Amino acid sequence: MDQSNQSIQQEKAQQVDKSSGNKQYQERVKAVTPTHNLAVQMLKAFVMGGIICLVGQAILNYATNSMGIDKETAGAWCSLILVFLSVLLTGFNIYPRLVEWGGAGALVPITGFANSVSAPAIEYKKEGQIFGIGCKIFTIAGPVILYGIFTSWVLGVFYWLISYI
């Protein structure tokens, strides 16, 4: 009977230790987890995305109005210039700060995709051309490209089958 009382007391002590450890863990998690104001984050993303779109529209307007380029060609030049600016700003470590401030507003447009391709290339260049840049350049963008191509293929097959019905 003494042993059963001791084992029961040990189990209770372990449960108390676990619960106090769990409480300490929860308090620590709450202390280190950053809190964000959703409305402010959404406003920042809206402003950042708006600035990127404003730059893109300015490039389009300049190309069509001042240079006399047709809209399709101007759109291609706009995309090219925005990607170039994104890669350039990533190289100077400015774009990551813009992403930190603007969140999804800086990540969603074409500039965010260019940043996701160029950032690993810059980070892993010290490992060499093949094993550094070649292997790591598509770590983030690779799945996006893969699933984009796969989805377009599936939809193409679906469209092809529907067209015969």
Side-chain angles (χ1 to χ4, degrees), residues 61-140:
N61 289 348
Y62 180 76
T64 54
N65 298 336
S66 299
M67 298 177 69
I69 299 174
D70 63 290
K71 284 188 177 186
E72 188 174 315
T73 307
W77 275 104
C78 177
S79 296
L80 183 72
I81 291 169
L82 286 175
V83 167
F84 172 75
L85 288 175
S86 173
V87 171
L88 187 68
L89 292 176
T90 300
F92 288 122
N93 204 25
I94 297 170
Y95 203 86
R97 286 186 259 159
L98 295 175
V99 169
E100 186 177 325
W101 186 84
L107 288 176
V108 172
I110 192 171
T111 53
F113 187 74
N115 173 58
S116 72
V117 172
S118 61
I122 292 168
E123 183 178 349
Y124 291 103
K125 71 180 179 183
K126 62 186 166 281
E127 293 182 24
Q129 295 290 319
I130 304 298
F131 293 113
I133 296 172
C135 291
K136 299 293 184 176
I137 195 166
F138 292 114
T139 52
I140 296 172

Coordinates of all heavy atoms in Angstrom, one line a residue, residues 61-140:
N61 N 2.7 54.6 -69.3 CA 2.3 55.9 -69.8 C 3.5 56.5 -70.6 O 3.3 57.1 -71.7 CB 1.8 56.8 -68.7 CG 0.5 56.4 -68.2 OD1 -0.2 55.5 -68.8 ND2 0.1 56.9 -67.1
Y62 N 4.7 56.4 -70.0 CA 5.8 57.0 -70.7 C 6.1 56.3 -72.0 O 6.4 57.0 -73.0 CB 7.1 57.0 -69.7 CG 8.3 57.6 -70.4 CD1 8.4 58.9 -70.5 CD2 9.3 56.8 -70.9 CE1 9.6 59.5 -71.0 CE2 10.4 57.3 -71.5 CZ 10.5 58.7 -71.6 OH 11.7 59.2 -72.1
A63 N 6.0 55.0 -72.0 CA 6.4 54.2 -73.2 C 5.3 54.5 -74.3 O 5.7 54.6 -75.4 CB 6.4 52.7 -72.8
T64 N 4.1 54.5 -73.9 CA 3.0 54.7 -75.0 C 2.9 56.2 -75.4 O 2.8 56.4 -76.6 CB 1.7 54.2 -74.5 OG1 1.3 54.8 -73.2 CG2 1.7 52.7 -74.3
N65 N 3.0 57.1 -74.5 CA 2.7 58.5 -74.8 C 4.0 59.2 -75.3 O 4.0 59.9 -76.3 CB 2.2 59.3 -73.6 CG 0.8 58.7 -73.2 OD1 0.1 58.1 -74.0 ND2 0.5 58.9 -72.0
S66 N 5.1 59.1 -74.6 CA 6.3 59.8 -75.0 C 7.2 59.1 -76.0 O 7.8 59.7 -76.8 CB 7.2 60.0 -73.7 OG 6.5 60.8 -72.8
M67 N 7.2 57.8 -76.0 CA 8.0 57.0 -76.9 C 7.3 56.5 -78.1 O 7.9 56.0 -79.0 CB 8.7 55.9 -76.2 CG 9.6 56.3 -75.0 SD 10.4 55.0 -74.1 CE 11.5 54.3 -75.3
G68 N 5.9 56.5 -78.1 CA 5.1 56.1 -79.2 C 5.1 54.6 -79.4 O 4.9 54.1 -80.5
I69 N 5.3 53.8 -78.3 CA 5.3 52.3 -78.4 C 3.9 51.8 -78.3 O 3.1 52.4 -77.5 CB 6.2 51.7 -77.3 CG1 7.7 52.2 -77.5 CG2 6.2 50.2 -77.3 CD1 8.6 51.8 -76.4
D70 N 3.5 50.8 -79.0 CA 2.2 50.2 -78.9 C 2.0 49.6 -77.5 O 3.0 49.3 -76.8 CB 1.9 49.2 -80.0 CG 2.8 48.0 -79.9 OD1 4.0 48.2 -80.2 OD2 2.3 46.9 -79.5
K71 N 0.8 49.4 -77.0 CA 0.5 49.0 -75.7 C 1.1 47.6 -75.4 O 1.5 47.4 -74.2 CB -1.0 49.0 -75.4 CG -1.6 50.3 -75.2 CD -3.1 50.3 -74.8 CE -3.6 51.7 -74.5 NZ -4.9 51.7 -74.0
E72 N 1.0 46.7 -76.3 CA 1.5 45.3 -76.0 C 3.1 45.4 -75.8 O 3.5 44.8 -74.8 CB 1.2 44.4 -77.2 CG 1.5 43.0 -76.9 CD 1.1 42.1 -78.0 OE1 -0.1 42.2 -78.5 OE2 1.9 41.2 -78.4
T73 N 3.8 46.1 -76.6 CA 5.2 46.2 -76.5 C 5.5 47.0 -75.2 O 6.5 46.6 -74.5 CB 5.8 46.9 -77.7 OG1 5.4 46.2 -78.9 CG2 7.4 46.9 -77.6
A74 N 4.8 48.0 -74.9 CA 5.0 48.8 -73.7 C 4.8 48.0 -72.5 O 5.5 48.1 -71.5 CB 4.1 50.0 -73.7
G75 N 3.8 47.1 -72.5 CA 3.5 46.2 -71.4 C 4.7 45.2 -71.1 O 5.1 44.9 -70.0
A76 N 5.3 44.7 -72.2 CA 6.4 43.8 -72.1 C 7.6 44.6 -71.5 O 8.3 44.1 -70.6 CB 6.8 43.3 -73.5
W77 N 7.9 45.8 -72.0 CA 8.9 46.7 -71.4 C 8.7 47.0 -70.0 O 9.6 47.0 -69.2 CB 9.1 47.9 -72.2 CG 10.0 47.8 -73.4 CD1 9.6 47.6 -74.7 CD2 11.4 47.6 -73.4 NE1 10.7 47.4 -75.5 CE2 11.8 47.4 -74.8 CE3 12.4 47.6 -72.4 CZ2 13.1 47.3 -75.1 CZ3 13.7 47.5 -72.8 CH2 14.1 47.3 -74.1
C78 N 7.4 47.2 -69.6 CA 7.1 47.5 -68.2 C 7.4 46.4 -67.3 O 8.0 46.5 -66.3 CB 5.6 47.9 -68.1 SG 5.0 48.2 -66.5
S79 N 7.0 45.2 -67.8 CA 7.3 44.0 -67.0 C 8.8 43.8 -66.8 O 9.4 43.5 -65.7 CB 6.7 42.7 -67.6 OG 5.3 42.8 -67.6
L80 N 9.6 44.0 -67.9 CA 11.0 43.8 -67.9 C 11.7 44.8 -67.0 O 12.6 44.4 -66.2 CB 11.5 44.0 -69.3 CG 13.0 43.8 -69.5 CD1 13.3 42.3 -69.4 CD2 13.4 44.3 -70.9
I81 N 11.2 46.0 -67.0 CA 11.8 47.1 -66.2 C 11.5 46.8 -64.7 O 12.4 47.0 -63.8 CB 11.4 48.5 -66.6 CG1 12.0 48.8 -68.0 CG2 11.7 49.5 -65.6 CD1 11.4 50.0 -68.7
L82 N 10.3 46.4 -64.4 CA 9.9 46.1 -63.0 C 10.7 44.9 -62.4 O 11.1 45.0 -61.3 CB 8.4 45.8 -62.9 CG 7.5 47.1 -63.0 CD1 6.0 46.6 -63.0 CD2 7.7 48.0 -61.9
V83 N 10.9 43.9 -63.3 CA 11.7 42.8 -62.8 C 13.1 43.2 -62.6 O 13.8 42.9 -61.6 CB 11.6 41.6 -63.8 CG1 12.7 40.6 -63.6 CG2 10.2 41.0 -63.8
F84 N 13.7 44.0 -63.5 CA 15.0 44.5 -63.4 C 15.2 45.3 -62.1 O 16.2 45.2 -61.3 CB 15.4 45.3 -64.6 CG 16.8 46.0 -64.4 CD1 17.9 45.3 -64.5 CD2 16.8 47.4 -64.2 CE1 19.2 45.9 -64.4 CE2 18.1 48.0 -64.0 CZ 19.2 47.3 -64.1
L85 N 14.2 46.2 -61.8 CA 14.3 47.1 -60.6 C 14.2 46.2 -59.4 O 14.9 46.5 -58.4 CB 13.2 48.1 -60.6 CG 13.3 49.2 -61.6 CD1 12.1 50.1 -61.6 CD2 14.6 50.1 -61.3
S86 N 13.4 45.2 -59.4 CA 13.3 44.3 -58.3 C 14.6 43.5 -58.0 O 15.0 43.5 -56.8 CB 12.1 43.3 -58.5 OG 12.1 42.3 -57.5
V87 N 15.2 43.0 -59.0 CA 16.5 42.3 -58.9 C 17.5 43.3 -58.4 O 18.3 42.9 -57.5 CB 16.9 41.6 -60.2 CG1 18.3 41.1 -60.1 CG2 15.9 40.5 -60.5
L88 N 17.6 44.5 -58.9 CA 18.5 45.5 -58.5 C 18.4 45.9 -57.1 O 19.3 45.9 -56.3 CB 18.4 46.7 -59.4 CG 19.5 47.8 -59.2 CD1 20.8 47.2 -59.8 CD2 19.1 49.0 -60.0
L89 N 17.1 46.1 -56.7 CA 16.9 46.4 -55.3 C 17.1 45.3 -54.3 O 17.6 45.5 -53.2 CB 15.4 46.9 -55.1 CG 15.1 48.3 -55.8 CD1 13.6 48.6 -55.6 CD2 15.9 49.4 -55.2
T90 N 16.9 44.0 -54.8 CA 17.3 42.9 -54.0 C 18.8 42.8 -53.8 O 19.3 42.5 -52.7 CB 16.7 41.6 -54.7 OG1 15.3 41.7 -54.8 CG2 17.1 40.3 -53.9
G91 N 19.5 43.0 -54.9 CA 21.0 43.0 -54.8 C 21.6 44.0 -53.9 O 22.6 43.8 -53.2
F92 N 20.9 45.2 -53.7 CA 21.3 46.2 -52.8 C 20.7 46.0 -51.4 O 20.8 46.9 -50.6 CB 21.1 47.6 -53.3 CG 22.0 48.0 -54.5 CD1 21.5 48.3 -55.7 CD2 23.4 48.0 -54.3 CE1 22.3 48.7 -56.7 CE2 24.2 48.3 -55.3 CZ 23.7 48.7 -56.5
N93 N 20.0 44.9 -51.2 CA 19.3 44.6 -49.9 C 18.3 45.7 -49.5 O 18.0 45.9 -48.4 CB 20.3 44.4 -48.8 CG 19.8 43.6 -47.7 OD1 18.9 42.7 -47.9 ND2 20.3 43.7 -46.5
I94 N 17.6 46.3 -50.5 CA 16.6 47.2 -50.3 C 15.2 46.6 -50.3 O 14.3 46.8 -49.5 CB 16.7 48.4 -51.2 CG1 18.0 49.2 -51.0 CG2 15.5 49.4 -51.1 CD1 18.3 50.2 -52.1
Y95 N 15.0 45.7 -51.3 CA 13.7 45.0 -51.5 C 13.3 44.2 -50.3 O 12.1 44.3 -49.9 CB 13.7 44.2 -52.8 CG 12.3 44.0 -53.3 CD1 11.7 44.9 -54.1 CD2 11.6 42.9 -52.9 CE1 10.4 44.7 -54.6 CE2 10.3 42.7 -53.4 CZ 9.7 43.6 -54.2 OH 8.5 43.4 -54.7
P96 N 14.2 43.5 -49.6 CA 13.8 42.8 -48.4 C 13.2 43.7 -47.3 O 12.3 43.3 -46.6 CB 15.0 42.0 -47.9 CG 15.8 41.8 -49.2 CD 15.6 43.1 -50.0
R97 N 13.7 44.9 -47.2 CA 13.2 45.9 -46.3 C 11.8 46.4 -46.7 O 10.9 46.6 -45.9 CB 14.2 47.0 -46.1 CG 15.4 46.6 -45.2 CD 16.2 47.8 -44.9 NE 17.4 47.7 -45.9 CZ 18.1 48.7 -46.2 NH1 17.9 49.9 -45.7 NH2 19.1 48.6 -47.0
L98 N 11.6 46.5 -48.0 CA 10.3 46.9 -48.5 C 9.3 45.8 -48.2 O 8.1 46.1 -47.9 CB 10.4 47.2 -50.0 CG 11.2 48.3 -50.5 CD1 11.3 48.4 -52.0 CD2 10.7 49.6 -49.9
V99 N 9.7 44.5 -48.4 CA 8.8 43.4 -48.1 C 8.5 43.3 -46.6 O 7.4 43.1 -46.2 CB 9.5 42.1 -48.6 CG1 8.7 40.9 -48.0 CG2 9.6 42.0 -50.1
E100 N 9.5 43.6 -45.8 CA 9.3 43.6 -44.3 C 8.2 44.7 -44.0 O 7.4 44.4 -43.1 CB 10.6 43.9 -43.6 CG 10.5 43.8 -42.1 CD 11.8 44.0 -41.4 OE1 12.9 43.6 -42.0 OE2 11.8 44.5 -40.3
W101 N 8.3 45.8 -44.6 CA 7.3 46.8 -44.3 C 6.0 46.6 -45.0 O 4.9 46.7 -44.4 CB 7.8 48.2 -44.7 CG 6.9 49.3 -44.3 CD1 6.9 49.9 -43.1 CD2 5.9 49.9 -45.1 NE1 5.9 50.9 -43.0 CE2 5.3 50.9 -44.3 CE3 5.4 49.8 -46.4 CZ2 4.2 51.7 -44.7 CZ3 4.4 50.5 -46.8 CH2 3.8 51.5 -46.0
G102 N 6.0 46.3 -46.3 CA 4.8 46.2 -47.1 C 4.1 44.8 -47.1 O 3.0 44.7 -47.7
G103 N 4.8 43.8 -46.7 CA 4.2 42.4 -46.6 C 3.8 42.0 -48.0 O 4.6 42.0 -49.0
A104 N 2.6 41.4 -48.1 CA 2.1 40.9 -49.3 C 2.0 41.9 -50.5 O 2.0 41.5 -51.6 CB 0.8 40.2 -49.1
G105 N 1.9 43.1 -50.1 CA 1.9 44.2 -51.2 C 3.1 44.2 -52.0 O 3.1 44.6 -53.2
A106 N 4.2 43.8 -51.5 CA 5.5 43.7 -52.2 C 5.8 42.3 -52.7 O 6.6 42.2 -53.6 CB 6.6 44.2 -51.3
L107 N 5.2 41.3 -52.2 CA 5.5 40.0 -52.6 C 4.6 39.4 -53.7 O 5.0 38.6 -54.5 CB 5.3 39.0 -51.4 CG 6.4 39.1 -50.3 CD1 6.1 38.2 -49.2 CD2 7.8 38.8 -50.9
V108 N 3.4 39.9 -53.8 CA 2.4 39.4 -54.8 C 2.7 39.8 -56.2 O 2.6 39.0 -57.1 CB 1.0 39.7 -54.4 CG1 0.0 39.4 -55.5 CG2 0.6 39.0 -53.1
P109 N 3.1 41.1 -56.5 CA 3.3 41.5 -57.9 C 4.5 40.8 -58.5 O 5.2 40.0 -57.9 CB 3.5 43.0 -57.9 CG 3.0 43.4 -56.5 CD 3.2 42.2 -55.6
I110 N 4.7 41.0 -59.8 CA 5.8 40.4 -60.5 C 7.2 40.7 -59.9 O 8.1 39.9 -59.9 CB 5.8 40.8 -62.0 CG1 6.7 40.0 -62.8 CG2 6.1 42.3 -62.1 CD1 6.6 40.2 -64.3
T111 N 7.2 41.8 -59.2 CA 8.5 42.2 -58.5 C 8.8 41.2 -57.4 O 10.0 40.9 -57.1 CB 8.4 43.6 -58.0 OG1 7.2 43.8 -57.2 CG2 8.3 44.7 -59.1
G112 N 7.8 40.8 -56.7 CA 8.0 39.8 -55.6 C 8.5 38.5 -56.2 O 9.3 37.8 -55.6
F113 N 8.0 38.1 -57.3 CA 8.5 36.8 -57.9 C 9.9 37.0 -58.4 O 10.7 36.1 -58.2 CB 7.6 36.5 -59.1 CG 7.9 35.1 -59.7 CD1 7.5 34.0 -59.1 CD2 8.6 35.0 -60.9 CE1 7.8 32.7 -59.6 CE2 8.9 33.8 -61.5 CZ 8.5 32.6 -60.8
A114 N 10.3 38.1 -58.9 CA 11.7 38.4 -59.3 C 12.6 38.3 -58.1 O 13.7 37.8 -58.1 CB 11.8 39.7 -60.0
N115 N 12.1 38.9 -57.0 CA 12.9 38.9 -55.7 C 13.1 37.5 -55.2 O 14.1 37.1 -54.8 CB 12.1 39.7 -54.7 CG 12.8 39.6 -53.3 OD1 13.9 39.9 -53.1 ND2 12.0 39.2 -52.4
S116 N 12.0 36.6 -55.4 CA 12.1 35.3 -54.9 C 13.1 34.4 -55.7 O 13.6 33.4 -55.2 CB 10.8 34.6 -54.8 OG 10.3 34.3 -56.1
V117 N 13.3 34.8 -56.9 CA 14.3 34.1 -57.7 C 15.7 34.6 -57.5 O 16.7 33.9 -57.4 CB 13.9 34.2 -59.2 CG1 15.1 33.6 -60.1 CG2 12.6 33.5 -59.5
S118 N 15.9 35.9 -57.4 CA 17.2 36.5 -57.3 C 17.8 36.4 -55.9 O 19.0 36.3 -55.8 CB 17.2 38.0 -57.8 OG 16.3 38.7 -57.0
A119 N 17.0 36.5 -54.9 CA 17.5 36.4 -53.5 C 18.3 35.2 -53.2 O 19.4 35.3 -52.7 CB 16.4 36.6 -52.5
P120 N 17.8 34.0 -53.5 CA 18.6 32.8 -53.3 C 19.9 32.8 -54.2 O 21.0 32.3 -53.7 CB 17.7 31.6 -53.7 CG 16.4 32.1 -53.6 CD 16.5 33.6 -53.9
A121 N 19.8 33.3 -55.4 CA 21.0 33.3 -56.2 C 22.1 34.2 -55.6 O 23.3 33.8 -55.6 CB 20.7 33.8 -57.6
I122 N 21.7 35.3 -55.0 CA 22.7 36.2 -54.4 C 23.2 35.6 -53.1 O 24.4 35.6 -52.8 CB 22.0 37.6 -54.1 CG1 21.7 38.3 -55.4 CG2 22.9 38.4 -53.2 CD1 20.8 39.5 -55.3
E123 N 22.3 34.9 -52.3 CA 22.7 34.4 -51.1 C 23.7 33.2 -51.2 O 24.6 33.0 -50.4 CB 21.4 33.9 -50.3 CG 21.7 33.3 -49.0 CD 20.5 32.9 -48.2 OE1 19.4 33.2 -48.7 OE2 20.6 32.2 -47.2
Y124 N 23.5 32.4 -52.3 CA 24.3 31.2 -52.4 C 25.4 31.3 -53.4 O 26.0 30.3 -53.8 CB 23.3 30.0 -52.7 CG 22.5 29.6 -51.6 CD1 21.1 29.9 -51.5 CD2 23.0 28.9 -50.5 CE1 20.3 29.6 -50.5 CE2 22.2 28.6 -49.4 CZ 20.9 28.9 -49.4 OH 20.1 28.6 -48.3
K125 N 25.7 32.5 -53.9 CA 26.7 32.6 -54.9 C 28.1 32.2 -54.4 O 28.9 31.7 -55.2 CB 26.8 34.0 -55.5 CG 27.3 35.1 -54.5 CD 27.3 36.4 -55.1 CE 27.8 37.4 -54.1 NZ 27.8 38.8 -54.6
K126 N 28.3 32.3 -53.1 CA 29.6 31.9 -52.6 C 29.9 30.4 -52.7 O 31.0 29.9 -52.5 CB 29.7 32.4 -51.1 CG 28.7 31.8 -50.2 CD 28.8 32.4 -48.8 CE 27.6 32.1 -48.0 NZ 26.5 32.9 -48.2
E127 N 28.8 29.6 -52.9 CA 29.0 28.1 -53.0 C 29.3 27.7 -54.4 O 29.4 26.5 -54.7 CB 27.7 27.4 -52.5 CG 27.5 27.6 -51.0 CD 26.2 26.9 -50.5 OE1 25.8 25.9 -51.2 OE2 25.7 27.3 -49.5
G128 N 29.4 28.7 -55.3 CA 29.7 28.4 -56.7 C 28.6 28.5 -57.7 O 27.4 28.6 -57.3
Q129 N 28.9 28.4 -58.9 CA 27.9 28.6 -60.0 C 27.0 27.4 -60.1 O 25.8 27.7 -60.3 CB 28.6 28.8 -61.4 CG 29.5 30.0 -61.5 CD 28.6 31.3 -61.6 OE1 27.6 31.3 -62.2 NE2 29.0 32.3 -60.9
I130 N 27.5 26.2 -59.9 CA 26.6 25.0 -60.1 C 25.9 24.7 -58.8 O 24.6 24.7 -58.8 CB 27.4 23.8 -60.6 CG1 28.2 24.1 -61.9 CG2 26.5 22.6 -60.8 CD1 27.3 24.5 -63.1
F131 N 26.6 24.4 -57.8 CA 26.0 24.0 -56.5 C 25.4 25.1 -55.7 O 24.6 24.9 -54.8 CB 27.0 23.2 -55.7 CG 27.4 21.9 -56.3 CD1 28.7 21.7 -56.7 CD2 26.5 20.9 -56.4 CE1 29.1 20.5 -57.3 CE2 26.8 19.7 -57.0 CZ 28.1 19.5 -57.5
G132 N 25.8 26.3 -56.0 CA 25.2 27.5 -55.3 C 24.1 28.1 -56.0 O 22.9 27.8 -55.7
I133 N 24.4 28.8 -57.0 CA 23.4 29.5 -57.8 C 22.5 28.5 -58.5 O 21.2 28.6 -58.5 CB 24.0 30.5 -58.8 CG1 24.7 31.6 -58.0 CG2 22.9 31.1 -59.7 CD1 25.6 32.5 -58.8
G134 N 23.1 27.6 -59.2 CA 22.3 26.6 -60.1 C 21.3 25.8 -59.3 O 20.2 25.5 -59.7
C135 N 21.7 25.4 -58.1 CA 20.8 24.5 -57.3 C 19.8 25.3 -56.4 O 18.8 24.8 -56.2 CB 21.7 23.6 -56.4 SG 22.6 22.4 -57.3
K136 N 20.2 26.4 -56.0 CA 19.3 27.2 -55.1 C 18.5 28.3 -55.7 O 17.6 28.8 -55.0 CB 20.2 27.8 -54.0 CG 21.1 26.8 -53.2 CD 20.2 26.0 -52.3 CE 21.1 25.1 -51.5 NZ 20.3 24.3 -50.6
I137 N 18.7 28.6 -56.9 CA 18.0 29.7 -57.5 C 16.5 29.6 -57.5 O 15.7 30.5 -57.4 CB 18.5 30.1 -58.9 CG1 18.1 31.5 -59.3 CG2 18.1 29.0 -59.9 CD1 18.8 32.0 -60.5
F138 N 16.0 28.3 -57.7 CA 14.5 28.1 -57.8 C 14.0 27.5 -56.5 O 12.9 26.9 -56.6 CB 14.2 27.3 -59.0 CG 14.4 28.0 -60.3 CD1 15.4 27.5 -61.1 CD2 13.7 29.1 -60.6 CE1 15.7 28.2 -62.3 CE2 13.9 29.8 -61.8 CZ 14.9 29.3 -62.7
T139 N 14.6 27.7 -55.4 CA 14.1 27.0 -54.1 C 12.7 27.6 -53.8 O 11.9 26.8 -53.3 CB 15.1 27.2 -52.9 OG1 15.4 28.6 -52.8 CG2 16.3 26.4 -53.1
I140 N 12.5 28.9 -54.0 CA 11.2 29.4 -53.7 C 10.3 29.5 -54.9 O 9.2 29.1 -54.9 CB 11.4 30.8 -53.1 CG1 12.1 30.8 -51.7 CG2 10.0 31.5 -52.9 CD1 12.5 32.1 -51.2

